């Protein structure tokens, strides 16, 4: 059975697991350790090492994919919405490879989740444009056209009242502003309606931590595009990173 390791670095947690590549499922427990405060490179690397050690794969030769919440181009991180500003223009892939002592595949976290859902989840065999959004600390996005990834879309940074819309509509905004599901869904309605108008997608897939509770908010959205929860929930980033590492 082909396997690979996936690490998903988020604004609040760093998660990892061993992935069964044939079925696109976790073949181990999912390990999660809180993201270090400030999320500076050295601290994040130390936590990734801790996660891999806890998983028991620190010396493994399995392919390793690392998903990260930033624009990733040629191994460099070009943004830093929910991590330290030190990551902007940073040679992140080389940094992790040097720190871990091995080759990795380094990708945007939402793109990794999109690949997982396209290959093994809610968007499998979907035709046309699928837009996956991850609703968590921020809003990540992935575009897949007939299953092919178009990397580094950043819908969470659409302008809304002079700032990124994720500040107003991410799941973290619901917690911060003490919104109920109906109030938060009204904000999501504005976000998804605007994205729908701009891109005319064929399918929306919603991932991130809140995808564990799709019945709380998806029925409250009024869209012309079908919208479903990610099958792999908050493990999509792990599965997608591992899948891409094995390509």
């Amino acid at each position: 059975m082909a396997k690979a390791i996936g690490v998903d670095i988020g604004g609040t947690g760093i998660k990892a697991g061993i992935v069964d590549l044939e079925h696109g499922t976790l073949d181990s427990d999912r390990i999660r350790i809180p993201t270090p405060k400030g999320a500076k490179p050295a601290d994040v690397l130390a936590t990734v090492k801790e996660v891999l050690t806890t998983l028991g794969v620190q010396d493994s030769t399995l392919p390793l994919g690392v998903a990260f919440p930033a624009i990733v181009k040629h191994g460099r991180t070009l943004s830093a919405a929910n991590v330290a500003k030190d990551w902007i223009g940073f040679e992140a892939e080389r940094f992790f490879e040097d720190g871990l002592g091995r080759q990795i595949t380094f990708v945007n976290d939402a793109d990794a989740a999109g690949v997982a859902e396209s290959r093994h989840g809610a968007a499998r065999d979907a035709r046309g444009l699928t837009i996956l959004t991850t609703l968590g600390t921020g809003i990540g996005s992935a575009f897949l056209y007939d299953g092919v990834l178009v990397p580094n879309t950043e819908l969470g940074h659409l302008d809304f009242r002079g700032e990124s819309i994720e500040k107003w509509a991410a799941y973290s905004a619901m917690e911060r502003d003490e919104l109920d599901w109906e109030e938060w869904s009204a904000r999501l309605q504005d976000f998804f309606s605007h994205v729908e108008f701009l891109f005319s997608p064929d399918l929306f897939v919603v991932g991130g931590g809140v995808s564990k509770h799709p019945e709380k908010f998806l029925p409250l959205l009024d869209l012309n595009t079908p919208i479903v929860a990610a099958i792999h929930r908050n493990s999509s980033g792990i599965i997608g990173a591992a899948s891409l590492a094995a390509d």
Side-chain angles (χ1 to χ4, degrees):
M1 177 173 58
K3 299 179 183 180
I5 304 160
V7 176
D8 184 8
I9 299 169
T12 57
I14 296 177
K15 306 177 289 291
I18 301 171
V19 175
D20 173 345
L21 297 171
E22 180 181 355
H23 299 100
T25 55
L26 289 181
D27 195 53
S28 70
D29 291 336
R30 189 186 74 160
I31 305 300
R32 183 188 186 279
I33 296 176
T35 302
K37 187 175 181 180
K40 290 183 175 292
D43 296 332
V44 170
L45 174 61
T47 305
V48 169
K49 289 181 177 179
E50 183 181 355
V51 166
L52 294 176
T53 298
T54 304
L55 188 61
V57 296
Q58 66 273 23
D59 297 319
S60 173
T61 59
L62 292 174
L64 171 61
V66 177
F68 192 84
I71 298 168
V72 176
K73 195 167 185 180
H74 307 305
R76 293 169 65 92
T77 43
L78 303 184
S79 62
N82 297 297
V83 291
K85 300 304 180 187
D86 306 38
W87 294 97
I88 298 175
F90 188 66
E91 292 282 359
E93 184 172 51
R94 183 186 304 168
F95 173 75
F96 280 109
E97 288 186 336
D98 290 346
L100 298 174
R102 55 163 301 162
Q103 287 189 326
I104 67 169
T105 296
F106 189 70
V107 296
N108 171 268
D109 58 344
D111 284 345
V115 167
E117 291 301 315
S118 178
R119 295 184 181 183
H120 303 289
R124 187 171 184 175
D125 300 324
R127 299 297 303 274
L129 177 60
T130 295
I131 297 179
L132 174 136
T133 61
T134 56
L135 304 177
T137 308
I139 296 178
S141 60
F143 280 29
L144 299 113
Y145 194 87
D146 288 348
V148 178
L149 176 68
V150 180
N152 289 317
T153 58
E154 289 286 329
L155 295 184
H157 299 296
L158 288 170
D159 183 81
F160 181 78
R161 300 175 182 172
E163 63 180 8
S164 295
I165 196 167
E166 68 178 11
K167 302 295 185 185
W168 188 72
Y171 185 49
S172 58
M174 179 184 179
E175 298 174 321
R176 181 193 67 228
D177 296 341
E178 299 181 347
L179 305 175
D180 61 27
W181 290 101
E182 290 76 13
E183 291 168 329
W184 182 58
S185 296
R187 296 188 181 189
L188 286 182
Q189 180 70 50
D190 288 340
F191 169 70
F192 281 110
S193 291
H194 187 49
V195 172
E196 184 177 57
F197 174 74
L198 291 176
F199 298 106
S200 301
D202 297 282
L203 176 67
F204 281 121
V205 179
V206 177
V210 76
S211 62
K212 294 180 291 187
H213 309 290
E215 75 285 351
K216 300 285 190 179
F217 66 99
L218 290 187
L220 301 176
L221 300 177
D222 183 15
L223 300 166
N224 295 317
T225 305
I227 184 166
V228 298
I231 286 178
H232 297 295
R233 307 297 195 226
N234 212 18
S235 295
S236 294
I238 296 172
I239 294 168
S243 297
L244 289 165
D247 284 351

